[in-house]
Amino acid sequence: FRLLRTAMQVRGGARRAQVILVTSPVGGEGKSTVAAQLASAFAWQQSRVLLVEADFRSANAVGVAGASGDGLSGELYGGRGTGAGEGVRRDAAMPNLAVLPRGTVPEFPTELLGAARMRELMATWRREYDYIVMDGPAYLPVADAAVLAQQADAALLVLRERQTLRGDALQSFDLLKRQMPEDAEIGVVLNGAAARKRGRAYAMAS
């Protein structure tokens, strides 16, 4: 993950990859682990990092948010100001890393993530943190990740060897290229690769 961090930092785009979306084609490829480990790698480098749990579609997502609530859903409903205060969790062992949990699951995640409130939060996070790592939902089943991709500087598409279908991987990559900002870049992480392939487990494309 330190190598992955370095790859993100030396990207050839016109601007620094400050907001990084981590997603996968259909789920179960290990994207949340990649997001958490990448955020930790940035934090170990003394960067100010916010890990945002933005996947409202995972199997253990339950409940419907009301007018207020904790975590990201509460912030999107306008409940707690900047999104960088009371709802954020910190670990004394890694003070540079802040985690914003997803909170209660909203009824319409795509609309909420695409609303003006999310853009306001993103602007605030860009001022307060060096890196914002978004643990997003799977790309193909719903439009949530596509909405987040429009606000990201770079994306990591996590694939799992012997599980992710080639067609799903190609479709996700093509959609990311078309839906992200023009100067954004896309990284591909091959998870669960055999040791002999470890040296080829990451690639970056413009």
Side-chain angles (χ1 to χ4, degrees):
F1 287 101
R2 289 193 296 269
L3 291 173
L4 183 57
R5 174 192 66 195
T6 301
M8 299 301 299
Q9 291 173 326
V10 300
R11 60 189 286 271
R15 58 176 174 167
R16 176 167 62 96
Q18 185 180 8
V19 177
I20 302 166
L21 171 66
V22 182
T23 185
S24 60
V26 295
E29 287 97 340
K31 64 174 180 58
S32 293
T33 298
V34 171
Q37 293 296 330
L38 178 61
S40 296
F42 280 126
W44 277 114
Q45 202 180 43
Q46 302 304 309
S47 297
R48 297 167 301 166
V49 185
L50 176 64
L51 173 62
V52 181
E53 297 178 355
D55 183 3
F56 293 121
R57 307 286 188 163
S58 60
N60 60 345
V62 295
V64 177
S68 64
D70 293 328
L72 177 60
S73 60
E75 295 293 345
L76 289 172
Y77 276 113
R80 297 196 178 216
T82 67
E86 297 181 33
V88 166
R89 299 174 182 172
R90 295 181 184 272
D91 188 335
M94 194 174 294
N96 291 330
L97 176 61
V99 179
L100 182 62
R102 71 181 173 195
T104 311
V105 179
E107 186 174 3
F108 302 107
T110 303
E111 289 74 12
L112 203 57
L113 291 170
R117 176 63 179 163
M118 184 65 188
R119 293 190 292 274
E120 293 173 1
L121 289 172
M122 193 71 75
T124 299
W125 297 337
R126 284 182 181 274
R127 292 192 298 269
E128 296 183 353
Y129 295 94
D130 299 311
Y131 294 97
I132 302 98
V133 180
M134 307 286 293
D135 177 12
Y139 213 84
L140 295 182
V142 291
D144 300 16
V147 170
L148 294 173
Q150 295 169 14
Q151 302 186 58
D153 305 320
L156 290 177
L157 182 64
V158 181
L159 313 177
R160 181 173 289 277
E161 188 173 39
R162 300 183 183 277
Q163 176 176 321
T164 304
L165 299 178
R166 178 182 177 85
D168 289 345
L170 293 174
Q171 183 181 0
S172 300
F173 189 87
D174 181 64
L175 288 172
L176 278 166
K177 289 195 70 173
R178 289 194 279 116
Q179 294 168 343
M180 294 190 71
E182 187 176 351
D183 59 348
E185 294 189 68
I186 307 168
V188 177
V189 177
L190 180 59
N191 199 10
R196 61 185 173 81
K197 298 181 180 178
R198 190 170 298 158
R200 293 182 286 141
Y202 176 79
M204 179 69 85
S206 58

